[in-house]
């Protein structure tokens, strides 16, 4: 039972029909009963699948409510009966199901909300194609518009979401063996909805959705436990923008870096002073915002008078693994007034390693490497203060390990 007496919701999310969501839910029910938990079946559909039907044996089932609609009698979950029974845990299959007209609620997920509000823990199931936000995507993949959907927020609010996954080949074998549909429907299913391409795409959707859900949980955990150290669990690259045209190059380079890691993410950030003084071009920032969003990233506008501190606070807040900045062309005497944003970010982000620099494009012959301290100076940049930036030259900062990248490769390891 959750806080303030509210029940806890656990969802088995399926990558496709037939992967074993209901079977997994029933297996959990048997384990809970063995531990002494009061667990009942509020509503489970076995779809005439023998192995699933067998799993119902030994489980208490709450009687369903019968409703007549257009001359046909349907059975739905009896919410009042489950509330009267008041178990510790109720199993409710098919969260996206639409109830027959005349039922207590229009949707089954609304029935589940009542059980949770009454302090009953619920274990439920849903397939990825039934999430409301993915309707258009699923239709473009499968050619089938899902009529039964559940709001994403309902699933996101679940206390636990467990992915039930299976390779397309294994799922098609299960289908061919008659473990999902009746024999007379197998060939049509394998030739249409259960094509390898469809199943692979649905599987990817499920994996990405769950990865985002895990990322949300990680952010909440880090916030609750005040974890400031970066956990490089996912490649997340922050791009520091000044409003100058070099920002487009930085964004594209960050996008290429992000592509090298699974689930890589680009976050472009412009830091403005609180007094409003800036030399940034609003038109150029708008172009860069469009570019980063077109590349699948996000744009953020942050207010801060201490540019390096604001940039690092933002990067740590989103659990970034790298920061990409433009390399400035400050004169040596200008360092009397401070090391600059790039050098400060490099210093404050963590323990630096020996920088790696490579020849610029267009140069002939070998070039003497910069000394580390000069390379760090060359990485300085005035974010939001109108400092000059050297075109495609880039400073890539790993938040726990610093690399001053080459002007052409911008790679960190």
């Amino acid at each position: 039972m959750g806080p303030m007496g509210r029940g806890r919701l656990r969802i088995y999310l399926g990558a496709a029909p037939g992967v074993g969501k209901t079977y997994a839910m029933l297996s959990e029910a048997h384990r809970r009963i063995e531990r002494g938990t009061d667990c009942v079946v509020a509503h489970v559909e076995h779809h005439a699948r023998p192995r699933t039907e067998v799993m119902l044996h030994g489980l208490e089932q709450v009687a369903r409510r019968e409703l007549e609609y257009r001359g046909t009698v349907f059975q739905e979950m009896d919410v009042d009966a489950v509330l009267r029974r008041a178990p510790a845990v109720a199993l409710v299959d098919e969260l996206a199901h639409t109830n027959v007209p005349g039922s207590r609620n229009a949707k089954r997920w609304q029935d589940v909300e009542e059980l949770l509000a009454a302090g009953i823990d619920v274990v439920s199931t849903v397939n990825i194609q039934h999430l409301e936000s993915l309707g258009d995507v699923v239709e473009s993949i499968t050619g089938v518009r899902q009529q039964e959907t559940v709001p994403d927020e309902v699933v996101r609010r679940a206390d636990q979401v467990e992915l039930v996954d299976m390779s397309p080949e294994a799922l098609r074998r299960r289908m061919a063996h008659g473990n999902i549909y009746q024999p007379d429907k197998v060939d049509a299913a394998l030739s249409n909805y259960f094509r390898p391409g469809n199943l692979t795409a649905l599987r990817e959707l499920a994996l990405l959705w769950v990865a985002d859900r895990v990322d949300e949980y990680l952010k909440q955990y880090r916030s609750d436990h005040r974890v400031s150290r970066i956990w490089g669990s996912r490649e997340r690259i922050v791009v520091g923008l000044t409003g100058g045209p070099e920002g487009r190059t930085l964004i594209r380079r960050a996008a290429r870096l992000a592509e090298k890691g699974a689930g890589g993410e680009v976050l472009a950030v412009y830091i403005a002073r609180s007094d409003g003084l800036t030399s940034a071009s609003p038109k150029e920032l708008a172009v860069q915002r469009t570019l980063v969003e077109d590349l699948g990233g996000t744009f953020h506008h942050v207010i801060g008078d201490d540019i390096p501190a604001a940039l690092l606070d933002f990067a740590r807040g989103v659990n970034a693994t790298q920061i990409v900045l433009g390399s400035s062309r400050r004169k040596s005497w200008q360092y009397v007034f401070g090391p600059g944003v790039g050098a400060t970010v490099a210093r404050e982000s963590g323990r630096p390693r020996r920088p790696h620099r490579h020849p610029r494009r267009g140069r002939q012959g070998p070039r003497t490497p910069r000394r580390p301290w000069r390379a760090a100076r060359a990485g300085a940049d005035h974010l939001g203060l109108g400092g000059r930036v050297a075109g495609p030259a880039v400073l890539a900062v790993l938040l726990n390990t610093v690399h001053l990248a080459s002007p052409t490769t911008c790679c960190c390891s």
Side-chain angles (χ1 to χ4, degrees), residues 39-269:
C39 181
V40 303
V41 175
H43 193 286
V44 167
E45 292 288 353
H46 56 72
H47 298 290
R49 297 169 186 168
R51 295 183 180 180
T52 304
E53 188 174 2
V54 167
M55 292 296 292
L56 284 167
H57 296 171
L59 300 178
E60 178 186 345
Q61 300 186 49
V62 177
R64 301 181 185 184
R65 182 185 179 195
E66 293 188 346
L67 296 97
E68 184 176 344
Y69 179 68
R70 293 182 177 178
T72 302
V73 176
F74 296 88
Q75 291 187 338
E76 296 287 3
M77 178 171 68
D78 191 333
V79 179
D80 287 324
V82 178
L83 291 173
R84 286 194 299 270
R85 173 61 178 77
V89 180
L91 308 185
V92 182
D93 208 6
E94 299 182 351
L95 189 62
H97 172 75
T98 300
N99 292 329
V100 174
S103 299
R104 183 188 187 96
N105 295 300
K107 303 288 290 186
R108 184 163 293 162
W109 65 263
Q110 295 171 318
D111 295 338
V112 168
E113 284 295 317
E114 286 199 44
L115 301 183
L116 294 171
I120 300 172
D121 291 348
V122 175
V123 183
S124 191
T125 66
V126 70
N127 280 327
I128 190 67
Q129 71 265 23
H130 293 295
L131 295 187
E132 202 167 73
S133 69
L134 299 178
D136 293 337
V137 179
V138 171
E139 184 178 12
S140 69
I141 294 169
T142 66
V144 178
R145 184 70 183 185
Q146 297 296 325
Q147 300 302 316
E148 295 188 317
T149 61
V150 59
D152 288 47
E153 184 57 28
V154 172
V155 182
R156 288 188 180 278
R157 284 201 309 264
D159 298 279
Q160 296 181 54
V161 177
E162 181 168 334
L163 177 65
V164 183
D165 183 32
M166 180 177 289
S167 71
E169 295 79 10
L171 186 55
R172 283 171 57 83
R173 283 197 301 271
R174 178 178 286 187
M175 171 68 74
H177 293 158
N179 294 328
I180 301 177
Y181 291 165
Q182 295 299 315
D184 60 329
K185 298 181 179 179
V186 170
D187 288 341
L190 290 174
S191 301
N192 293 283
Y193 196 93
F194 283 78
R195 293 195 302 269
N198 287 2
L199 297 178
T200 300
L202 291 172
R203 188 186 193 193
E204 182 181 33
L205 281 178
L207 290 168
L208 290 173
W209 196 93
V210 172
D212 285 340
R213 176 69 170 76
V214 172
D215 195 50
E216 291 172 4
Y217 171 79
L218 180 60
K219 288 179 181 178
Q220 186 62 48
Y221 179 89
R222 285 168 51 81
S223 175
D224 293 344
H225 293 79
R226 300 181 180 180
V227 178
S228 59
R229 184 173 179 273
I230 297 301
W231 292 351
S233 54
R234 181 176 182 178
E235 195 68 56
R236 187 172 284 108
I237 302 172
V238 168
V239 185
L241 301 177
T242 67
E246 75 288 337
R248 304 183 200 183
T249 301
L250 302 183
I251 291 169
R252 292 189 184 98
R253 191 154 295 182
R256 290 197 297 274
L257 283 172
E259 287 176 357
K260 295 179 181 179
E265 185 179 354
V266 175
L267 301 91
V269 58

